[in-house]
Amino acid sequence: METALKLARAGDGIVLVQDAVFALRSPSRECRIEDASRKGLRLYALKADMDARSVKATPAVETIDYDRLVELLIQYERTFS
Amino acid sequence: MPMRKLLLIIRNAPYGTANVGEGLRAAIALAGMDMDTTVVLMDDAVFAALKGQEAEAIGMNSLGEVIESAKKYGAKPYVHSESLQQRSIDKDDLINVEIIDTVSVANLIHEADATITF
């Protein structure tokens, strides 16, 4: 997550799936989410993975389902994982 | 979009898993097909650039040499400076490979048509 935040630029989106959703639970979560908004990044997290791991949604991060994920993959010019 | 520039980012430690070898081999294959191919070693993958690897001891090819091969085939290898610092690795500990900072890695990602991580 730290690396993703360092490498991303304004207009980029970061999608958290699988274990990456745990980044929304850690104590430094608030400050990372602020960093992301300050840099002009959009954050998304997959609901199914959050529910499985008992990770609660937060307003600054868009909770998405698979249909929305597909939309994002098409919407963004390039993606990598 | 036609593929012009490719970036491979390798993050895993060498030898314990196949990721570094596979990433470098993929880079060599792509460069051999005339793709503009760049490889960045980050996080634990920077260990692959250490001088003096003797991988015959475990029946493998030394990845330092595979990095040199990659250069010969036209792939551009780079090592990430912050990852080196975090692991207390000096330039003198490395084979001859260019070191770049985090901003440069971000630039490479944003310039590439596609990025693949290993």
Side-chain angles (χ1 to χ4, degrees):
Chain A
M1 178 74 168
E2 320 262 328
T3 307
L5 288 173
K6 276 195 245 186
L7 295 173
R9 300 243 160 102
D12 289 349
I14 300 177
V15 181
L16 303 174
V17 297
Q18 298 182 358
D19 292 343
V21 303
F22 282 124
L24 298 177
R25 280 199 66 136
S26 73
S28 54
R29 170 181 96 157
E30 299 313 330
C31 107
R32 282 179 186 154
I33 290 179
E34 261 172 50
D35 279 346
S37 341
R38 260 188 308 112
K39 289 188 77 162
L41 306 175
R42 302 286 312 275
L43 287 180
Y44 308 91
L46 195 61
K47 186 174 196 304
D49 288 327
M50 289 167 65
D51 290 348
R53 294 162 181 74
S54 183
V55 172
K56 295 211 250 312
T58 176
V61 176
E62 184 183 331
T63 302
I64 63 172
D65 60 10
Y66 286 100
D67 286 344
R68 179 72 177 128
L69 177 59
V70 173
E71 277 174 23
L72 291 173
L73 289 168
I74 295 170
Q75 171 192 321
Y76 281 86
E77 198 177 303
R78 281 166 301 196
T79 64
F80 79 94
S81 42
Chain B
M1 169 192 297
M3 289 292 122
R4 283 178 300 272
K5 290 175 75 104
L6 292 173
L7 173 65
L8 283 73
I9 300 183
I10 309 179
R11 306 181 67 182
N12 282 277
Y15 302 113
T17 67
N19 295 80
V20 180
E22 289 308 301
L24 291 169
R25 274 184 275 279
I28 289 170
L30 291 165
M33 296 192 287
D34 281 327
M35 310 265 191
D36 178 341
T37 308
T38 302
V39 183
V40 172
L41 299 173
M42 267 183 89
D43 300 326
D44 286 340
V46 301
F47 289 122
L50 290 175
K51 274 198 287 222
Q53 294 169 46
E54 289 171 25
E56 315 78 54
I58 53 170
M60 299 180 77
N61 292 322
S62 288
L63 290 166
E65 286 167 23
V66 181
I67 295 172
E68 304 281 6
S69 287
K71 271 198 250 180
K72 280 209 301 256
Y73 278 90
K76 289 164 294 219
Y78 295 101
V79 178
H80 178 229
S81 55
E82 213 177 288
S83 302
L84 291 173
Q85 280 153 31
Q86 281 163 359
R87 291 158 183 75
S88 304
I89 300 173
D90 293 324
K91 193 175 182 2
D92 293 333
D93 298 325
L94 299 179
I95 60 173
N96 182 22
V97 62
E98 201 174 323
I99 299 173
I100 61 173
D101 62 11
T102 304
V103 172
S104 304
V105 177
N107 288 340
L108 288 171
I109 293 171
H110 287 83
E111 286 160 12
D113 292 314
T115 300
I116 314 169
T117 59
F118 284 82

